[in-house]
């Protein structure tokens, strides 16, 4: 159960190897979280992380196989299996995602589809069964890692941006539909975060770290926020950018 | 449909006559602290029979009883399952004005009880800080009042109760006949069954006034010394500590002690009037949508300064109305809303006599800038009653805290360690955040309680959010 100060006892991570997710899970375990299920494409690679979390105080750490590209049926089975075996899951952290390669993806239908298929379709089919189980248990938080890039598609990464925009919109709508059920959806929109995903790229303004994003996400989970910006200033930056006329926006070096 | 049909939330019940009371209303529930809401189907049985019916078909996520929802945390919630409101089970089955024995439904409130029996010269044996608690909730939390040091907790005055167990069987539980079940249910947080009726021994009073002696204490040592020396002479005793005072004034307090005034102590005029009535003034309500910053530290510091200075250095024998002595906060209906949308929590600890150092450290840490508590209540406890009852002989300290501060979590975790290390514990009826690992150390009788609980509820039907969070009862086993 989530407690009065927003700590949770159990978490399922979709995309268990994500650096942002792991920073979040470490912070959770340092508080109260005792059950951690990491769902990832290659669960075997997470064994050392699992050991580290156990040493930090988690009593149950499990790694399970999950590929966002799998079909909806497989996702449903996986989610049911986790909820059945571990009892209530207080928090589902949706972190899987690929950045893709814009210069290729905008010319290659299959590559573009793989990005959208992972970031949007694949996560939607995994989120829906989680939301259903949480409705049934009468409580829970779904925390979805979106991005500022979904706020307004930019020519420099609109394949990724559009896939995240889809996910973001879906999560917001789901959050509204879950009002009154005891289940809350938190959409986290980080800017540039220094992780594997952005390795080799030039940091954008307001670049931040996985630990900072984790902190903001946990605060949002505790508060029951709908949207979390990391760093917070991006909320204002984006609200300006959103209103820049398209011909101008197109020319911005973003 | 049956009953009066006025379900909380004002929703119109679905037309499903054959389902009757089993057809609950989906309702988001919280405790008094308004933190961590969860959804349950709220049922409102009209009598013991309907309670039994519900217990016989508990649904997949079990059920738990609920009274007036005055526990601060998640004790009377059951996410995804059923919650049984006992508020319609409130009949008076018998009252003997000679002996002061009364049998009432579990949904009867302590305030209503006081109103009912006071004109006959009787009074509830134990009053918590609000009169809006039910008899069922008072048994399940084994509540204490300002008289604990002399007269024990609520269940010390319970002669018998009717308990409906999973499966629907009803039994009469008494301290002599079924001591184990009695001691597991007293303070058992609703996880041993649903209490539908209780027989209580009231205390005799002559008037509706309390004679109060007030004194100011310079600091924590001073107030503790005064309490050790004088508490036995008073039926009721409580001290308010200014948590913002530091240095040599650390723990400065106002000590208020008293007893029921006798007829002889009332002045002529008061004596001749209708002497016995318990009529709290009209309930006001806090303005809706209060911003969370209202209770800022500078404002509170100023308030405490005024409060402390205004209190007499020493005053003897002031006569106060019962409700104003016992329940000064009850006139503001939903003052918990003053804490804003993120709600509040109450931290109540007890440490055994001899662990005064731990208590001093707690007050020191509170006075440090980090905790936004401004007033704490200090009391001395006598003997405990049930296996999970909160009181043990020692010092209890209580404070309200706004839940909206992230740094509060590690701060309170630190206090927990201190309290557990000193052989103390936290009060489950107030808890909303304890780390489950500390429960065993805090409640040495937990093992025995678990055995009795499992015997009464082998299928693990009795589930609450508190139980899931801390690993108590059915929620921890299914
Ligand atoms: C302002 C304020 C001051 C307070 N002061 C004090 C104090 O001085 N001393 C003290 O001891 N407590 C105090 N309390 C706490 C309060 O007395 C307890 O939490 C009490 O249990 C609340 O009763 P309730 O009817 O509201 O029960 P709820 O909060 O609805 O339920 C509390 C627990 O009782 C169980 N329960 C309720 N009814 C039944 C039943 N019929 N059968 C079985 N289980 C049942 C529930 O399952 C739950 O576990 C205070 C609370 C407030 C808000
Ligand atoms: N880094 C940033 O600047 C930034 C900014 C805003 C938002 N985000 C978002 O934050 C989330 C986490 O990113 P991160 O920075 O922590 O990067 P990361 O470490 O690369 O994490 C992304 C994770 O997604 C997993 N993944 C990729 N494809 C998958 C698939 N088909 N099925 C299952 N898992 C898959 C990866 O697992 P493998 O190990 O199997 O590859 C990886 O663990 C992502 O959703 C990302 O879009 C990141």
């Amino acid at each position: 159960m989530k407690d009065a100060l927003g700590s949770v006892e159990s978490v399922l991570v979709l995309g268990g190897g994500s650096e942002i997710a792991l920073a979040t899970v470490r912070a959770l375990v340092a508080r109260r979280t005792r059950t951690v299920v990491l769902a990832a494409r290659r669960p075997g690679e997470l064994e050392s992380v699992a050991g580290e979390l156990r040493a930090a105080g988690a009593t149950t750490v499990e790694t399970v196989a999950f590929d966002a590209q799998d079909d909806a049926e497989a996702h449903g089975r996986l989610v049911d299996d986790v909820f059945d075996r571990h009892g209530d899951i207080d928090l589902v952290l949706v972190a899987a995602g690929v950045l893709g390669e814009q210069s290729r993806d905008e010319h290659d239908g299959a590559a573009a589809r793989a990005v959208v298929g992972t970031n949007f379709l694949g996560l939607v089919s995994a989120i829906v069964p989680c939301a259903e189980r949480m409705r049934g248990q009468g409580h829970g938080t779904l925390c979805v890692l979106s991005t500022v890039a979904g706020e307004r598609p930019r020519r420099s990464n609109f394949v990724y941006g559009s896939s995240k925009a889809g996910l973001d919109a879906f999560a917001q709508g789901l959050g509204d539909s879950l009002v009154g059920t005891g289940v809350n959806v938190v959409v986290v929109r980080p800017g540039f975060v220094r992780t594997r995903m952005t390795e080799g790229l030039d940091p954008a303004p307001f670049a931040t770290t996985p630990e900072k994003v984790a902190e903001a996400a946990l605060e949002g989970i505790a508060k029951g926020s709908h949207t979390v910006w990391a760093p917070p200033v991006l909320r204002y930056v984006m609200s300006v950018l959103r209103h820049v006329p398209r011909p101008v926006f197109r020319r911005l070096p973003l | 449909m049956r009953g009066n049909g006025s379900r909380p939330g004002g929703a119109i019940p679905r037309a499903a006559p054959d389902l009757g009371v089993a057809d609950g209303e989906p309702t988001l529930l919280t405790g008094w602290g308004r933190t961590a809401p969860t959804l349950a189907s709220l049922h409102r049985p009209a009598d013991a029979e309907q309670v039994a019916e519900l217990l016989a078909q508990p649904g997949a996520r079990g059920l738990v009883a609920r009274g007036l929802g005055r526990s601060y945390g998640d004790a009377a919630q059951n996410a995804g399952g059923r919650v049984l409101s006992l508020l319609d089970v409130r009949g008076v089955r018998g009252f003997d004005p000679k002996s002061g024995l009364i049998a009432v439904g579990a949904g009867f409130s302590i305030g209503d009880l006081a109103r009912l029996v006071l004109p006959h010269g009787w009074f509830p044996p134990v009053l918590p800080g609000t009169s809006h608690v039910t008899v069922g909730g008072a048994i399940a939390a084994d509540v204490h009042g300002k008289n604990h040091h002399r007269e024990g907790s609520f269940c010390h005055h319970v002669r018998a109760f009717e308990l409906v167990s999973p499966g629907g069987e009803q039994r009469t539980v008494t301290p002599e006949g079924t001591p184990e079940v009695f001691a597991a249910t007293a303070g058992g947080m609703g996880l041993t069954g649903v209490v539908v009726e209780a027989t209580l021994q009231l205390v005799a009073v002559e008037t509706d006034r309390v004679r109060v002696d007030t004194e100011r204490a310079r600091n924590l040592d001073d107030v503790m010394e005064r309490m050790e020396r004088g508490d036995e002479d008073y039926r009721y005793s409580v001290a308010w500590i200014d948590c913002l005072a530091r240095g040599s004034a650390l723990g400065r307090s106002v000590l208020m002690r008293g007893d029921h005034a006798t007829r002889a102590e009332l002045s002529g005029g008061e004596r001749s009037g209708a002497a016995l009535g318990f009529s709290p003034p009209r309930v006001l309500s806090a303005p809706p949508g209060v911003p969370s910053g209202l209770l800022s530290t500078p404002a509170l510091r100023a308030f405490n300064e005024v409060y402390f200075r205004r209190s007499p250095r020493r005053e003897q024998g002031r006569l106060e109305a019962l409700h104003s002595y016992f329940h000064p906060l009850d006139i503001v209906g939903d003052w918990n809303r003053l804490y804003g949308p993120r709600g509040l929590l109450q931290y109540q600890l007890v440490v055994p006599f001899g662990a005064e150092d731990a208590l001093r450290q707690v007050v020191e840490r509170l006075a440090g800038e980090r905790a936004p508590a401004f007033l704490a209540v200090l009391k001395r406890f006598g003997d405990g009653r049930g296996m999970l009852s909160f009181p043990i002989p020692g010092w209890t300290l209580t404070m309200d805290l706004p839940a909206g501060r992230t740094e509060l979590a590690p701060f309170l975790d630190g206090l927990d360690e201190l309290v557990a290390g000193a052989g103390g514990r936290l009060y489950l009826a107030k808890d909303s955040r304890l780390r489950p690992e500390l429960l065993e150390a805090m409640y040495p009788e937990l093992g025995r309680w678990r055995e009795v609980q499992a015997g009464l509820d082998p299928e693990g039907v009795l589930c609450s959010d508190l139980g899931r969070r801390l690993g108590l009862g059915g929620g921890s086993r299914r």
Side-chain angles (χ1 to χ4, degrees):
Chain A
M1 301 296 309
K2 178 160 132 178
D3 75 11
L5 298 175
S7 293
V8 299
E9 295 182 305
S10 53
V11 60
L12 162 65
V13 186
L14 299 173
S18 139
E19 287 186 48
I20 296 176
L22 287 177
T24 311
V25 170
R26 286 190 187 100
L28 284 169
V29 171
R31 292 175 73 171
R32 295 258 187 300
T33 307
R34 294 293 168 257
T35 300
V36 179
V37 182
L38 303 173
R41 278 192 289 196
R42 289 176 299 276
E45 288 176 11
L46 293 176
E47 274 319 313
S48 72
V49 171
E52 178 211 324
L53 293 172
R54 280 187 203 103
T59 49
T60 308
V61 184
E62 196 181 272
T63 59
V64 296
F66 161 71
D67 191 328
Q69 305 256 26
D70 285 346
D71 60 23
E73 216 174 293
H75 287 165
R77 268 200 310 275
L78 169 78
V79 169
D80 278 341
D81 177 55
V82 169
F83 276 76
D84 286 345
R85 282 183 305 108
H86 295 284
D88 290 12
I89 298 289
D90 302 340
L91 171 66
V92 173
L93 188 56
V94 183
V98 289
L99 190 55
E101 216 174 298
Q102 178 68 27
S103 56
R104 177 198 60 200
D105 299 345
E106 72 176 276
H107 303 293
D108 178 340
R113 184 192 168 110
V115 172
V116 179
T118 301
N119 291 351
F120 184 27
L121 298 180
L123 295 184
V124 162
S125 75
I127 288 172
V128 168
C130 291
E132 283 308 291
R133 292 300 296 245
M134 284 186 159
R135 268 184 220 269
Q137 70 186 22
H139 72 103
T141 303
L142 267 157
C143 178
V144 178
L145 281 166
S146 172
T147 162
V148 291
E151 211 17 42
R152 186 163 184 185
R154 285 176 284 150
R155 115 189 102 84
S156 62
N157 73 350
F158 68 84
V159 177
Y160 173 73
S162 64
S163 70
K164 286 295 201 184
L167 178 68
D168 191 297
F170 182 85
Q172 285 184 58
L174 182 63
D176 287 341
S177 129
L178 287 169
V179 166
T181 65
V183 184
N184 188 40
V185 177
V186 183
V187 175
V188 180
R189 295 181 185 151
F192 187 102
V193 191
R194 290 188 197 88
T195 66
R196 240 175 346 154
M197 185 177 268
T198 54
E199 219 176 311
L201 302 179
D202 290 336
F206 310 111
T208 184
T209 62
E211 289 71 29
K212 282 265 183 313
V213 178
E215 206 178 295
L218 290 188
E219 175 82 15
I221 291 164
K223 272 195 201 159
S225 306
H226 302 299
T227 318
V228 170
W229 300 80
V233 64
L234 288 174
R235 153 177 267 135
Y236 308 103
V237 174
M238 291 315 291
S239 78
V240 172
L241 284 182
R242 202 180 305 139
H243 296 106
V244 173
R246 255 192 51 205
V248 179
F249 187 74
R250 200 184 301 142
R251 290 193 193 90
L252 289 178
L254 291 168
Chain B
M1 265 311 300
R2 39 168 93 85
N4 57 15
S6 66
R7 296 179 188 218
I12 298 160
R14 274 161 288 160
D18 47 347
L19 284 177
V21 74
D23 183 28
E25 201 61 50
T27 311
L28 268 185
L29 295 172
T30 69
W32 185 246
R34 302 175 72 231
T35 52
T38 62
L39 190 77
S41 100
L42 185 63
H43 302 256
R44 215 156 149 158
D47 50 33
E49 218 170 282
Q50 291 187 358
V51 170
E53 236 174 79
L54 284 160
L55 270 159
Q57 34 164 338
R61 287 177 64 89
L63 52 80
V64 76
R66 183 177 175 96
L68 279 159
R70 258 28 178 222
S71 43
Y72 274 74
D74 46 9
Q77 295 167 229
N78 180 23
R82 295 179 166 189
V83 172
L84 270 59
S85 166
L86 270 286
L87 295 182
D88 289 338
V89 184
R90 58 186 311 282
V92 179
R93 278 239 293 130
F95 173 39
D96 177 6
K98 287 213 175 61
S99 63
L101 273 179
I102 188 165
V104 291
F108 209 70
S109 85
I110 301 285
D112 287 341
L113 182 64
R115 258 184 293 280
L116 178 76
V117 301
L118 197 55
H120 303 275
W122 295 99
F123 199 60
V126 168
L127 271 96
T130 171
S131 64
H132 302 302
V133 308
T134 63
V135 165
I139 291 173
D142 192 14
V143 301
H144 57 271
K146 297 177 170 74
N147 57 344
H148 194 280
H149 62 290
R150 273 195 9 191
E151 290 166 330
S153 53
F154 195 80
C155 291
H156 278 107
H157 308 269
V158 173
R159 296 292 167 260
F161 56 80
E162 295 294 313
L163 184 71
V164 184
S165 308
E169 176 208 350
Q170 180 173 329
R171 70 183 87 196
T172 304
V173 180
T174 63
E176 308 79 26
T178 37
E180 292 265 290
V181 178
F182 190 93
T185 304
M189 302 310 292
L191 297 173
T192 61
V194 178
V195 175
V196 290
E197 187 184 298
T199 304
L200 318 170
Q201 175 63 58
L202 303 163
V203 298
V205 296
E206 292 182 13
T207 71
D208 64 355
R209 297 288 135 137
V210 186
R211 178 180 33 73
V212 186
D213 292 350
T214 304
E215 49 197 295
R216 274 202 244 164
R218 290 187 314 281
N219 54 36
L220 191 62
D221 288 339
D222 186 23
V223 73
M224 286 163 80
E225 206 260 325
R226 286 169 195 258
M227 290 171 89
E228 272 164 0
R229 193 157 25 90
D231 266 9
E232 284 317 304
D233 300 338
Y234 294 93
R235 184 195 290 255
Y236 301 110
S237 166
V238 66
W240 291 77
I241 298 188
D242 173 1
C243 292
L244 300 176
R246 297 187 213 159
S248 61
L250 179 83
R252 70 172 174 182
S253 340
V254 179
L255 177 57
M256 285 166 285
R257 298 187 286 198
D259 202 338
H260 294 279
T262 60
R263 209 171 284 118
E265 283 165 344
L266 293 198
S267 59
E270 280 174 290
R271 216 177 315 169
S272 59
L276 293 171
F278 183 76
S279 47
R282 198 169 58 85
V283 170
L284 315 165
S285 64
V290 182
S292 23
L294 196 68
L295 298 163
S296 72
T297 315
L300 297 177
R301 212 180 279 283
F303 173 87
N304 278 8
E305 201 58 44
V306 172
Y307 182 83
F308 190 76
R309 301 250 171 254
R310 207 206 52 189
S311 302
R313 200 168 290 282
R314 190 167 194 98
E315 184 190 50
Q316 299 240 299
R318 183 164 44 96
L319 294 175
E320 259 196 68
L322 285 166
H323 61 80
S324 90
Y325 179 70
F326 286 108
H327 307 126
L329 280 175
D330 278 0
I331 43 168
V332 183
D334 35 13
W335 58 262
N336 54 344
R337 287 180 188 277
L338 287 174
Y339 282 82
R342 293 189 63 187
L344 77 153
L345 56 90
Q346 190 171 81
Y347 193 82
Q348 182 168 10
L349 63 92
V350 59
V351 291
F353 292 128
E356 284 75 13
D357 262 350
L359 188 71
R360 210 165 285 125
Q361 281 184 52
V362 171
V363 176
E364 267 164 26
R365 290 197 199 176
L366 283 170
E369 204 56 80
R370 296 170 63 196
F374 66 109
L375 272 182
V377 175
L378 182 67
K379 255 214 62 60
R380 284 168 70 255
F381 274 161
D383 287 332
R385 182 62 187 87
M387 297 174 188
L388 295 189
S389 287
F390 170 63
I392 49 170
W395 299 93
T396 181
L397 189 73
T398 312
M399 69 219 82
D400 286 342
L401 298 160
R405 306 214 184 175
T406 339
E407 69 279 9
L408 205 54
F411 176 78
L412 294 179
D413 285 351
L415 290 191
D416 295 349
E417 302 271 344
L418 186 64
V419 170
R425 51 176 64 166
L426 298 197
Y427 190 3
L428 296 180
K430 309 282 178 79
D431 178 56
S432 54
R433 42 137 312 269
L434 178 66
R435 209 152 26 124
E437 290 97 47
L438 288 178
L439 199 64
E440 204 93 42
M442 290 183 167
Y443 287 89
E445 286 191 79
L446 189 60
R448 236 180 93 219
W449 181 84
R450 283 194 205 284
E451 275 170 36
V452 181
Q453 198 278 337
L456 290 165
D457 181 21
E459 313 273 328
V461 158
L462 297 163
C463 299
S464 66
D465 287 1
L466 175 113
R468 285 197 180 86
R469 186 166 55 79
L470 293 178
L472 292 173
S476 65
R477 283 187 274 132
R478 36 174 66 216

